[in-house]
Amino acid sequence: MTDRRRDRSQARHDVHDPGGVRLQKVLAGAGFGSRRACEELISAGRVSVDGVQVRELGIRVDPQRAVIHVNGLRVQLDDAVVTLALHKPAGVYSSMADEQGRPDLSQFVADRTERLFHVGRLDAETTGLILLTNDGELAHRLTHPSYEVPKTYVAEIEGRVARGLGRELKDGIELDDGPVQVDEFTVLETTPQASVVEVVLHEGRNHIVRRLLAQVGHPVTRLSRTAIGPIRLGHLKVGRTRVIEGRELGRLMSSVGL
């Protein structure tokens, strides 16, 4: 049997749903271009359904049940599932309903009907990226330590950074609740009095960046999270949200094995 016939036989057996929607129509509706462009993706073997590589244009799938990847990236087909990026301002607590009545995240999504969960936390005075989603499995994986999702922070700190500090941080620093290592450390700006640094780490402990930098003699004066995994804050204005969708959402889901 030729490779093409084997692909067709396997796809027909495993993933074809006679009552479903043509795969190229599903992909076009998800933003992967015209139906013709999506047919080319399928024919090139760049699409999989439920883990099976598909090359046949006649395949039909159930958009509510099929797990579809394009170029290895998951395609979210459920319109009821939403993931947002929020640029959290200072003075806002990482809660959807703060028990003490302090400013919380709910004010930024008051116009949405979905029940959203925040992914991870930032202390009140730290600004930057927080993800909000009603996808329970995605939220679980993004916060679970075993997936080691990297987070990127930009910190303004006291003092001039000494040569070799990056290596010291990568080797590990002992804190009261155990050691911590950074994945990357970059000095962006420096003067004798202060510096701006970028820190990448996959730790999620409370105040970890502030405690880490204070431990090595550089207390933080301002802190912002600029990325979670492949999702970057970019030019999103403070207090605003944007929908994460398409290829960007696919990269996020793929980063945690979805």
Side-chain angles (χ1 to χ4, degrees), residues 41-209:
L41 288 173
I42 297 168
S43 297
R46 296 163 63 183
V47 179
S48 68
V49 179
D50 296 337
V52 178
Q53 186 184 56
V54 174
R55 293 179 182 269
E56 184 174 357
L57 299 181
I59 291 294
R60 291 176 177 269
V61 298
D62 180 349
Q64 300 303 313
R65 299 179 62 184
V67 176
I68 300 175
H69 289 78
V70 177
N71 294 327
L73 300 181
R74 175 73 175 269
V75 181
Q76 177 57 263
L77 300 173
D78 188 346
D79 292 339
V81 176
V82 63
T83 300
L84 307 175
L86 165 67
H87 190 161
K88 186 187 87 66
V92 173
Y93 288 80
S94 294
S95 169
M96 298 306 292
D98 187 74
E99 294 181 353
Q100 301 180 40
R102 298 170 298 187
D104 59 38
L105 304 175
S106 63
Q107 63 187 293
F108 306 109
V109 290
D111 60 337
R112 302 200 67 96
T113 58
E114 304 92 352
R115 184 187 178 193
L116 298 170
F117 305 92
H118 62 282
V119 177
R121 304 177 68 85
L122 291 175
D123 64 67
E125 295 312 309
T126 298
T127 65
L129 181 62
I130 279 188
L131 301 182
L132 306 172
T133 186
N134 61 353
D135 187 332
E137 183 60 23
L138 177 61
H140 167 72
R141 295 193 183 202
L142 286 171
T143 54
H144 198 282
S146 65
Y147 290 96
E148 298 189 340
V149 177
K151 290 100 175 170
T152 305
Y153 298 83
V154 172
E156 295 182 15
I157 59 177
E158 296 180 8
R160 186 180 187 91
V161 176
R163 183 175 298 177
L165 179 60
R167 174 51 55 192
E168 182 182 354
L169 293 172
K170 289 179 182 179
D171 289 342
I173 300 295
E174 190 70 34
L175 300 178
D176 291 342
D177 55 353
V180 59
Q181 294 174 287
V182 308
D183 301 323
E184 299 291 339
F185 180 80
T186 305
V187 178
L188 303 177
E189 300 177 23
T190 187
T191 70
Q193 293 76 35
S195 302
V196 179
V197 299
E198 182 180 79
V199 180
V200 181
L201 74 172
H202 53 267
E203 286 275 2
R205 284 177 275 172
N206 288 342
H207 308 290
I208 189 67
V209 177

Side-chain angles (χ1 to χ4, degrees), residues 198-253:
E198 182 180 79
V199 180
V200 181
L201 74 172
H202 53 267
E203 286 275 2
R205 284 177 275 172
N206 288 342
H207 308 290
I208 189 67
V209 177
R210 293 181 184 274
R211 292 192 290 130
L212 172 66
L213 292 173
Q215 183 69 21
V216 295
H218 295 286
V220 172
T221 55
R222 292 183 65 183
L223 182 64
S224 180
R225 183 161 63 197
T226 58
I228 298 175
I231 306 302
R232 303 197 67 82
L233 187 63
H235 298 294
L236 184 63
K237 293 182 179 180
V238 176
R240 301 294 296 273
T241 64
R242 66 177 178 84
V243 177
I244 299 172
E245 56 190 348
R247 290 174 176 82
E248 186 181 31
L249 178 60
R251 288 192 293 271
L252 179 64
M253 297 179 76

